[in-house]
Amino acid sequence: MVLQCRSYSRLYTRCESKVKYTPLAKHPLKLANRVGSGGKGPSQAYCLQEMFNMFSCLKKNEFSQSPCSNEITTFQTCAEKHKAELKKLKEDERAGILTPGTTKLSANQVNLLLKRFPN
């Protein structure tokens, strides 16, 4: 390793190291045939507008639920619909079903594609 240092002022010195890459004959560089399943990031919030409408109605009516029954049912139906969608996506992911047009794939789905198309 060779260090080349330049002094620009009394306080600032920049050193550049030049390292040569030498590939090892024992371990050639190649990609693995599978992907590890890392932890998922935080999930996105859903039904925010319905929740905001429900809380504003509850605040306006001093947290009495009877005048806000319409907003409460709207929020509950939205939450149930989203839970059903998540459940279906999770089942498809476990089964390895590939849905066309998706931008994000799970680790199982990527491994399935790597098995189908190894090169």
Side-chain angles (χ1 to χ4, degrees):
M1 182 165 84
V2 178
L3 286 177
Q4 294 178 348
C5 296
R6 290 183 183 165
S7 179
Y8 294 103
S9 68
R10 274 188 345 183
L11 300 175
Y12 181 67
T13 303
R14 183 175 179 182
C15 294
E16 296 177 1
S17 63
K18 300 204 177 195
V19 178
K20 292 183 180 180
Y21 173 72
T22 55
L24 300 174
K26 293 180 183 178
H27 306 288
L29 296 175
K30 67 176 185 175
L31 294 176
N33 291 332
R34 65 179 202 86
V35 175
S37 60
K40 291 186 178 180
S43 62
Q44 294 180 350
Y46 55 93
C47 302
L48 287 177
Q49 186 64 38
E50 290 83 358
M51 187 186 311
F52 179 73
N53 290 340
M54 180 184 70
F55 282 133
S56 64
C57 180
L58 287 172
K59 184 178 179 182
K60 185 171 63 174
N61 295 313
E62 297 177 0
F63 296 97
S64 176
Q65 292 184 2
S66 56
C68 301
S69 62
N70 188 20
E71 285 83 359
I72 292 172
T73 55
T74 304
F75 172 68
Q76 288 176 344
T77 55
C78 178
E80 289 172 3
K81 180 181 173 185
H82 187 72
K83 283 182 184 178
E85 288 175 5
L86 285 179
K87 187 176 181 182
K88 184 182 180 301
L89 285 175
K90 195 175 271 189
E91 288 174 358
D92 290 348
E93 181 180 313
R94 285 186 184 150
I97 298 173
L98 298 173
T99 54
T102 57
T103 56
K104 293 185 179 181
L105 297 174
S106 69
N108 292 337
Q109 292 169 336
V110 172
N111 287 333
L112 182 69
L113 282 174
L114 286 173
K115 283 180 186 176
R116 284 187 192 168
F117 309 105
N119 292 331

